[in-house]
Amino acid sequence: MGVALARSAQWTASGYETGTLEITPLNESILNEITKFVESFSYKYPQEAKFVFVEPLEWKTYLEPSAFESGYVVSSTTVESEEVDKDGQPLLLLSVPYIKVRSFGQLSQLLCVATDSKQQEVQACIEANRDPIVKILGPDYDEMKEESTSLALLDTIIKDKELYIKRKVAILLKQLDLHLLNHSLKHISLEISLNPGTFKKDIELLKRFSGKGEQTVLEWIDYTSDYEFSNGCRAPPWRQIQGEMCYVMVKPHDVETLCLTCSTEGVFLNGGKAEEEGEIDYERKGEVYKDIVTCLKDQSPVFSENMSKQEIRFNEEQQKDSQIFEKPKTEDGPSSTTGSEKSKVEKLYFGKSHMTKRLEPSLNWRATVDYKEKGSTKDSQEEKQGKLEKSSTSVSTSRGQLLRKGGEKVEETVSESSSESEEDEEPLDHRQEANADLPSEYWQIQKLVKYLKGGNQTATVIALCSMRDFNLAQETCQLAIRDVGGLEVLINLLDTDEVKCKIGSLKILKEISHNPQIRRNIVDLGGLPIMVNILDSSHKSLKCLAAETIANVAKFKRARRAVRQHGGITKLVALLDCGQNSSEPAQPSLYETRDVEVARCGALALWSCSKSHSNKEAIRKAGGIPLLARLLKTSHENMLIPVVGTLQECASEENYRAAIKAERIIENLVKNLNSENEQLQEHCAMAIYQCAEDEETRDLVRLHGGLKPLATLLNNTDNKERLAAVTGAIWKCSISKENVIKFREYKAIETLVGLLTDQPEEVLVNVVGALGECCQEYENRVLVRKCGGIQPLVNLLVGINQALLVNVTKAVGACAVEPESMAIIDRLDGVRLLWSLLKNPHPDVKASAAWALCPCIENAKDAGEMVRSFVGGLELVVNLLKSDNKEVLASVCAAITNIAKDQENLAVITDHGVVPLLSKLANTNNDKLRRHLAEAISRCCMWGRNRVAFGEHKAVAPLVRYLKSNDTNVHRATAQALYQLSEDADNCITMHENGAVKLLLDMVGSPDQDLQEAAAGCISNIRRLALATEKAKYN
């Protein structure tokens, strides 16, 4: 980021050290890229997001304290983050108007708060912190050596976790820096209108017209540097990044010596060259001209006059020079790269035909970045990059051309836009360095492709066999086949009638299609429809190879759609049933080796395709579920994995879950949990997780003995993917109380508590979700407390993962029902953390936090004083009544019911306008909201003239309608509210007019004692008013 900001960004006249960023498209583009990087940092790199900077980034912010909500302590002029470092110092501190930030996590949250002013904040931060890497990592990391990204990083994994995280942050920043430089180059290339050849031609021509005579146009003109890079530029590499190509000293006859900058934008005067140091002041000092001649005409009247006299001769010379400069272009190809010239990738010639050619600074920087993270080789992940260009069918023997292509593609993949919504995301592949020596395999493969193109049938088969002898898992070999036009030949061979050629071609395509770039090339070249047609072949080996290749290629959306559109789903489903085509009985023949392999390959392809909703529906309509259910009974593990994988993907659809129950698939999923294969266990657990949303499925898992193996698998924590699947299955199964009893019997709850620390977020979400369900029972709440589970649960309240926060608030709320656990939560400041989550932007988190606060307030000692101690807390709760989310409203009403039990707190929330806000919600049809709203109104009636105020705000008549609900809980809460409101005469009249008496009379006979008493009390108050009215009338 340091190099990019110093040399790629465009600064104002004050320069990089003291100036500000100019308002240019390039700067705006750079700021956008930095904003995207920081915004996504928290969820992409959660560990690194917690890294505390060596020095804070400080700048003048545009944000007001009121913009900060959840996770911050806010006052009128200051904001402090609740997240602190090991010394207790806040990681974000705002003291209007200056802000200090000390972690990427807080920077990411800050941009969420900024909303419309994100780019302004990023610009202000960059302008105020000119060398952010030094502040983030310290001066030792200002220029990180290459070897620190590999050996040193591995060395620190064991020795020092903190240093390991610091090195990872350094690597990420270096990758960003490289990305910004490449992005800048790409941006500049779109605006190129001039090139070094144009300027070289003009300067050489002007030299011929210069001298001491009166008729010459100039005294002299020359470059400031004699060194010329391989791309024709003479400017230093970091200035080439900004589009500058060379600097020229010019001495006209009538003015002082001028120093000109020749760039892609045009020609302009710079600050000149210092005599003592010889350094050029690169800052632009005037307007930009289209060429050198136009610039000099404007600066020198003598030059303009003399040029007009010799204009015809000058133009003739210019035309001759154009022909000279264009000649190498037609005669010479790109120069080959020898061992002594690795840094020179190619020689570029610039003529008129090169006016739009990309300007490539001659930099010897490494343009490769290994983006592969742990787990990035999973097949479910996809590469989000643009559509690759179709490889040329002509075979290029120029090594320089090949290297140039490799370098450009590295740059393309690093700077690829993330806006393409069609493609799924895959990690970017590691590419070999642009200046690396190519292995001999490349040239050998090139020769074999020639035989494939021009040989007869025998030569073709031999060439295919020879090609398979290479290590096709090696990326160099994969890309070599593509780069010399081999893919087109291999795909064309699939359209022949020769089975041996088809098999050889498919075997090669199956191996090389593991490469994400090759997959896309296969789709671009129309390979998928041909492979789908091969699925109809009577040759089983062909069907297997075609299905396996489809499984490899269908890793991104466009490929999956192509398979479906060409009828591939139906044909793949048919492969699952291939045993029935035999004359032998279906079941025995299924387990014959060849039939099993055909079915396995079909299941493998369906697994890849099933990541699409449309494909899932197509598989169901093609009759795939009964066939998958039958295959699930086999003992072949290599068959079971793709079958269960497909079922796991499809189980996210409700139609599939119903079919899975109907086909009795759960029994086999449970049986395979006892397998020794970890991958099979993972997919079975994940399928149970997807299906266990349904109560009947949860019961089936228990009845078939699935809970014990799930509890046993919790003890194996090395495989995090499997652990996430197992904990997810336990979470969903725990929704049923009967299952919770079994888990307690199998000691699963103690194990879950042990998993609350040092686990990835995908595991924590499920663990906390399971504990939240288990803690609905008293015995389990006590067990969690005795196992020390309260503290890690409270610690998780400071996270930013939405799903995790929803689950952890539910778990903490469930624990708070027990007074002893509540005391621990209060001591750990858990109630304040819950309260702060009411400011979270996600409605689900707000609602869950509000529900959790209810038992906390109910069971805390001196709850009224505790609630008042939260500055601005009561106002925050009342303002949440303005939400549009029904769940938030219901939870906040429940919280207000508990808060209002304290008279002082009730007085405070009354002053904050709780009565009109509650009254506004009265016209609702949601029974859950009705119940808690009625309870809140009932409590709020016990202060001052609130009863009268509810009547004035038209809340009484809607409440009467609640009595027509079918929910007894709504009846009880409403009767209690009406009883409190009936203490006011006007409210009694409103109730009577809306038919409340008849409805209440029916409820007097209810078996619910509280409902009886409230209904009777309300009727009593109405009757008493009626009698008083009658008495007054006759008196």
Side-chain angles (χ1 to χ4, degrees):
M1 193 158 68
V3 175
L5 291 179
R7 297 176 176 176
S8 184
Q10 297 167 332
W11 298 85
T12 58
S14 302
Y16 171 65
E17 293 297 328
T18 57
T20 58
L21 287 168
E22 289 184 348
I23 303 173
T24 65
L26 177 58
N27 281 350
E28 188 175 346
S29 178
I30 290 173
L31 291 174
N32 280 333
E33 291 302 310
I34 295 173
T35 303
K36 287 178 192 174
F37 174 80
V38 175
E39 271 188 308
S40 62
F41 199 95
S42 288
Y43 64 82
K44 279 188 176 178
Y45 317 105
Q47 272 191 312
E48 291 77 7
K50 297 174 184 176
F51 171 74
V52 180
F53 299 164
V54 175
E55 292 182 43
L57 298 177
E58 182 176 1
W59 71 92
K60 188 175 181 180
T61 183
Y62 297 89
L63 297 175
E64 295 294 330
S66 58
F68 292 84
E69 296 181 352
S70 173
Y72 299 95
V73 180
V74 183
S75 70
S76 59
T77 58
T78 63
V79 176
E80 290 186 13
S81 65
E82 292 171 356
E83 189 179 2
V84 296
D85 62 12
K86 59 185 178 183
D87 299 323
Q89 296 299 313
L91 296 184
L92 182 145
L93 177 62
L94 168 61
S95 181
V96 179
Y98 292 99
I99 190 168
K100 294 181 180 180
V101 183
R102 300 176 60 206
S103 77
F104 275 111
Q106 287 297 325
L107 280 174
S108 185
Q109 289 189 52
L110 179 72
L111 291 184
C112 291
V113 171
T115 58
D116 295 336
S117 60
K118 290 177 186 177
Q119 200 174 88
Q120 285 180 298
E121 291 297 323
V122 173
Q123 182 172 346
C125 177
I126 289 170
E127 289 174 351
N129 303 275
R130 296 306 169 81
D131 206 343
I133 292 179
V134 173
K135 289 196 172 184
I136 293 170
L137 301 170
D140 295 342
Y141 281 80
D142 188 17
E143 290 187 12
M144 191 183 68
K145 295 180 180 178
E146 283 297 331
E147 55 267 23
S148 67
T149 63
S150 51
L151 298 176
L153 180 60
L154 292 171
D155 188 46
T156 55
I157 292 175
I158 301 172
K159 292 182 180 178
D160 189 336
K161 185 177 180 181
E162 188 175 341
L163 183 58
Y164 168 62
I165 296 295
K166 188 173 183 180
R167 287 186 182 275
K168 284 189 74 177
V169 172
I171 292 170
L172 291 171
L173 289 174
K174 186 167 185 185
Q175 290 174 1
L176 173 64
D177 200 14
L178 182 62
H179 173 67
L180 291 177
L181 288 171
N182 286 327
H183 186 79
S184 301
L185 283 172
K186 187 176 180 183
H187 190 276
I188 290 167
S189 70
L190 299 175
E191 300 177 352
I192 290 178
S193 59
L194 297 170
N195 54 64
T198 305
F199 292 118
K200 185 174 183 180
K201 181 174 59 177
D202 288 347
I203 292 166
E204 293 298 326
L205 192 55
L206 285 171
K207 281 183 177 180
R208 293 183 227 156
F209 284 79
S210 301
K212 294 295 182 182
E214 293 182 356
Q215 299 302 316
T216 57
V217 294
L218 298 168
E219 286 188 17
W220 53 266
I221 179 172
D222 206 356
Y223 295 102
T224 58
S225 170
D226 293 328
Y227 183 81
E228 182 177 339
F229 290 96
S230 61
N231 61 356
C233 293
R234 295 173 185 258
W238 57 89
R239 300 306 297 180
Q240 291 183 41
I241 290 290
Q242 298 193 5
E244 295 177 7
M245 290 175 270
C246 64
Y247 309 98
V248 184
M249 300 297 291
V250 182
K251 180 61 178 80
H253 289 292
D254 54 338
V255 294
E256 295 297 322
T257 304
L258 305 174
C259 188
L260 306 180
T261 297
C262 301
S263 73
T264 56
E265 296 176 349
V267 180
F268 56 84
L269 280 173
N270 56 43
K273 188 174 182 180
E275 292 181 1
E276 298 177 359
E277 301 173 355
E279 291 290 328
I280 295 173
D281 179 3
Y282 300 111
E283 192 62 34
R284 179 160 61 86
K285 299 300 182 183
E287 60 180 291
V288 180
Y289 301 87
K290 67 176 184 179
D291 53 36
I292 297 174
V293 173
T294 307
C295 176
L296 291 174
K297 279 183 177 180
D298 194 54
Q299 299 296 325
S300 169
V302 174
F303 176 88
S304 179
E305 182 181 346
N306 290 348
M307 272 298 294
S308 62
K309 295 176 183 177
Q310 303 194 43
E311 193 163 3
I312 296 173
R313 183 182 160 209
F314 188 91
N315 290 338
E316 288 173 354
E317 292 288 331
Q318 207 169 27
Q319 287 176 2
K320 290 178 184 177
D321 285 351
S322 293
Q323 294 171 1
I324 293 170
F325 273 82
E326 286 176 350
K327 189 174 180 181
K329 178 205 163 205
T330 58
E331 293 179 354
D332 298 331
S335 61
S336 297
T337 305
T338 63
S340 62
E341 294 179 315
K342 288 182 184 179
S343 64
K344 293 186 179 181
V345 176
E346 64 176 330
K347 187 73 176 176
L348 300 177
Y349 295 95
F350 292 90
K352 287 185 177 179
S353 63
H354 286 78
M355 292 297 282
T356 57
K357 184 168 179 68
R358 182 187 184 111
L359 177 64
E360 298 177 352
S362 179
L363 306 179
N364 292 329
W365 302 337
R366 289 182 61 181
T368 56
V369 182
D370 191 352
Y371 278 86
K372 289 187 179 178
E373 298 283 339
K374 182 180 178 182
S376 66
T377 57
K378 286 188 70 179
D379 285 342
S380 61
Q381 292 179 304
E382 302 293 342
E383 181 179 356
K384 191 173 187 179
Q385 69 178 56
K387 186 176 180 181
L388 291 172
E389 71 280 354
K390 293 188 178 181
S391 53
S392 172
T393 55
S394 62
V395 180
S396 170
T397 58
S398 168
R399 185 175 172 199
Q401 185 177 2
L402 174 74
L403 291 175
R404 183 181 74 251
K405 183 187 290 187
E408 288 176 349
K409 284 181 181 171
V410 169
E411 183 178 314
E412 181 182 337
T413 53
V414 172
S415 62
E416 185 59 52
S417 167
S418 62
S419 63
E420 185 181 353
S421 60
E422 184 207 359
E423 306 294 346
D424 297 337
E425 187 171 354
E426 278 187 1
L428 293 176
D429 275 1
H430 174 71
R431 302 296 303 268
Q432 64 183 9
E433 299 173 30
N435 60 354
D437 281 323
L438 285 171
S440 60
E441 288 91 339
Y442 174 82
W443 308 110
Q444 293 168 6
I445 287 173
Q446 185 182 45
K447 292 176 183 177
L448 289 174
V449 172
K450 286 182 179 180
Y451 286 119
L452 284 178
K453 287 180 177 180
N456 56 24
Q457 181 180 323
T458 305
T460 299
V461 173
I462 293 171
L464 288 171
C465 293
S466 300
M467 198 175 289
R468 288 203 62 219
D469 291 337
F470 290 98
N471 180 11
L472 296 179
Q474 187 179 345
E475 188 182 37
T476 305
C477 295
Q478 295 167 351
L479 298 181
I481 292 172
R482 182 196 67 181
D483 290 343
V484 297
L487 273 183
E488 294 93 326
V489 180
L490 291 171
I491 291 171
N492 287 338
L493 287 174
L494 299 180
D495 238 349
T496 64
D497 295 327
E498 180 55 46
V499 174
K500 289 181 181 179
C501 291
K502 286 184 177 181
I503 289 175
S505 176
L506 281 171
K507 283 183 176 180
I508 294 169
L509 288 171
K510 184 188 79 170
E511 293 298 324
I512 65 176
S513 58
H514 288 288
N515 186 304
Q517 299 179 39
I518 300 291
R519 292 174 199 154
R520 281 175 162 70
N521 289 140
I522 290 172
V523 176
D524 293 339
L525 294 167
L528 277 177
I530 301 173
M531 293 179 202
V532 168
N533 289 335
I534 291 174
L535 296 175
D536 290 327
S537 169
S538 58
H539 201 289
K540 291 183 179 180
S541 294
L542 268 180
K543 290 197 283 191
C544 287
L545 288 168
E548 276 194 280
T549 310
I550 290 172
N552 290 341
V553 174
K555 300 291 186 184
F556 61 104
K557 190 173 182 179
R558 186 158 51 90
R560 292 193 286 266
R561 184 169 61 240
V563 174
R564 182 181 72 254
Q565 289 173 345
H566 290 90
I569 299 297
T570 305
K571 293 177 182 180
L572 288 170
V573 169
L575 295 186
L576 305 181
D577 196 27
C578 65
Q580 291 189 352
N581 295 328
S582 173
S583 59
E584 295 181 19
Q587 195 68 8
S589 69
L590 180 64
Y591 299 117
E592 292 181 2
T593 305
R594 186 60 58 86
D595 289 336
V596 169
E597 185 63 15
V598 171
R600 184 191 73 84
C601 295
L604 204 60
L606 287 173
W607 187 10
S608 292
C609 294
S610 63
K611 292 175 176 62
S612 156
H613 169 76
S614 300
N615 285 356
K616 289 175 188 176
E617 190 61 22
I619 293 169
R620 188 182 67 81
K621 288 180 178 178
I625 301 176
L627 294 172
L628 289 168
R630 198 184 75 189
L631 292 174
L632 198 56
K633 296 174 184 176
T634 181
S635 58
H636 295 76
E637 283 188 352
N638 61 345
M639 165 77 81
L640 287 169
I641 290 172
V643 169
V644 176
T646 306
L647 287 170
Q648 167 216 317
E649 289 290 344
C650 295
S652 59
E653 304 289 325
E654 191 172 347
N655 290 337
Y656 269 92
R657 292 198 289 271
I660 285 170
K661 280 189 296 181
E663 295 291 336
R664 303 180 65 182
I665 288 174
I666 298 298
E667 180 180 353
N668 290 298
L669 291 175
V670 168
K671 183 182 76 173
N672 287 311
L673 283 174
N674 295 306
S675 166
E676 295 298 320
N677 189 300
E678 290 189 4
Q679 191 180 2
L680 181 57
Q681 290 173 338
E682 176 191 337
H683 293 306
C684 286
M686 185 59 74
I688 291 171
Y689 165 76
Q690 297 279 15
C691 296
E693 294 281 352
D694 178 72
E695 184 178 359
E696 188 180 343
T697 301
R698 295 195 292 271
D699 293 339
L700 286 172
V701 174
R702 183 180 71 255
L703 293 173
H704 291 301
L707 301 182
K708 188 168 185 178
L710 285 173
T712 304
L713 288 172
L714 278 179
N715 297 309
N716 302 321
T717 59
D718 294 335
N719 187 330
K720 298 303 180 185
E721 287 80 11
R722 184 183 62 178
L723 185 60
V726 169
T727 50
I730 290 175
W731 171 21
K732 295 303 179 183
C733 289
S734 299
I735 298 172
S736 296
K737 292 182 179 179
E738 297 84 358
N739 290 349
V740 172
I741 294 169
K742 286 289 184 182
F743 282 132
R744 185 166 69 245
E745 182 184 326
Y746 300 140
K747 308 291 183 186
I749 296 173
E750 294 94 323
T751 310
L752 286 169
V753 170
L755 294 173
L756 286 172
T757 53
D758 300 324
Q759 296 298 333
E761 283 189 343
E762 56 267 25
V763 174
L764 286 173
V765 169
N766 297 335
V767 169
V768 175
L771 288 174
E773 297 297 339
C774 292
C775 287
Q776 303 301 317
E777 301 291 325
Y778 170 76
E779 295 86 351
N780 297 335
R781 290 195 290 269
V782 173
L783 197 57
V784 169
R785 173 170 54 80
K786 289 182 177 178
C787 291
I790 304 296
Q791 180 158 356
L793 282 173
V794 172
N795 290 343
L796 291 173
L797 289 171
V798 298
I800 58 173
N801 183 301
Q802 180 186 349
L804 180 57
L805 287 175
V806 169
N807 285 354
V808 78
T809 47
K810 182 177 180 179
V812 170
C815 292
V817 173
E818 192 209 10
E820 290 184 45
S821 296
M822 179 58 222
I824 299 172
I825 292 169
D826 191 18
R827 188 174 69 249
L828 294 171
D829 211 15
V831 182
R832 183 183 64 81
L833 293 173
L834 282 172
W835 212 289
S836 69
L837 289 175
L838 295 176
K839 295 184 283 186
N840 193 282
H842 300 289
D844 291 343
V845 177
K846 287 180 185 175
S848 188
W851 287 122
L853 283 171
C854 296
C856 291
I857 297 169
E858 194 172 343
N859 295 290
K861 290 183 180 179
D862 198 8
E865 184 60 37
M866 177 189 72
V867 170
R868 284 191 296 279
S869 69
F870 303 133
V871 178
L874 291 173
E875 185 180 4
L876 172 62
V877 170
V878 173
N879 285 334
L880 284 175
L881 291 172
K882 300 172 184 176
S883 173
D884 296 326
N885 187 285
K886 292 289 191 293
E887 189 69 18
V888 172
L889 292 172
S891 61
V892 170
C893 286
I896 287 173
T897 302
N898 286 282
I899 291 168
K901 291 177 182 177
D902 181 90
Q903 287 293 300
E904 288 186 47
N905 289 339
L906 177 53
V908 173
I909 62 175
T910 300
D911 291 341
H912 285 310
V914 74
V915 172
L917 289 171
L918 289 173
S919 301
K920 193 179 290 185
L921 300 175
N923 289 299
T924 179
N925 296 319
N926 186 295
D927 276 348
K928 189 174 186 179
L929 177 55
R930 282 176 165 183
R931 174 191 171 184
H932 294 290
L933 175 59
E935 288 175 353
I937 290 173
S938 177
R939 281 289 175 185
C940 290
C941 282
M942 298 177 186
W943 177 259
R945 61 184 302 276
N946 282 0
R947 292 184 179 90
V948 178
F950 278 118
E952 291 172 350
H953 286 91
K954 312 294 184 187
V956 179
L959 278 175
V960 174
R961 292 195 290 272
Y962 291 7
L963 297 173
K964 297 177 182 178
S965 169
N966 295 322
D967 191 334
T968 306
N969 291 321
V970 175
H971 294 165
R972 181 173 56 254
T974 305
Q976 290 170 341
L978 291 174
Y979 171 63
Q980 292 295 332
L981 290 166
S982 66
E983 297 289 336
D984 176 67
D986 291 335
N987 290 344
C988 285
I989 295 169
T990 305
M991 291 177 204
H992 191 274
E993 289 174 348
N994 285 274
V997 174
K998 184 180 179 181
L999 294 168
L1000 289 168
L1001 279 171
D1002 293 336
M1003 294 175 186
V1004 171
S1006 169
D1008 188 317
Q1009 189 174 345
D1010 292 335
L1011 176 55
Q1012 277 183 5
E1013 290 179 2
C1018 185
I1019 293 171
S1020 173
N1021 287 340
I1022 295 172
R1023 182 60 183 157
R1024 195 175 293 116
L1025 176 64
L1027 289 172
T1029 305
E1030 288 290 325
K1031 187 176 180 181
K1033 182 191 290 186
Y1034 289 109
N1035 288 339

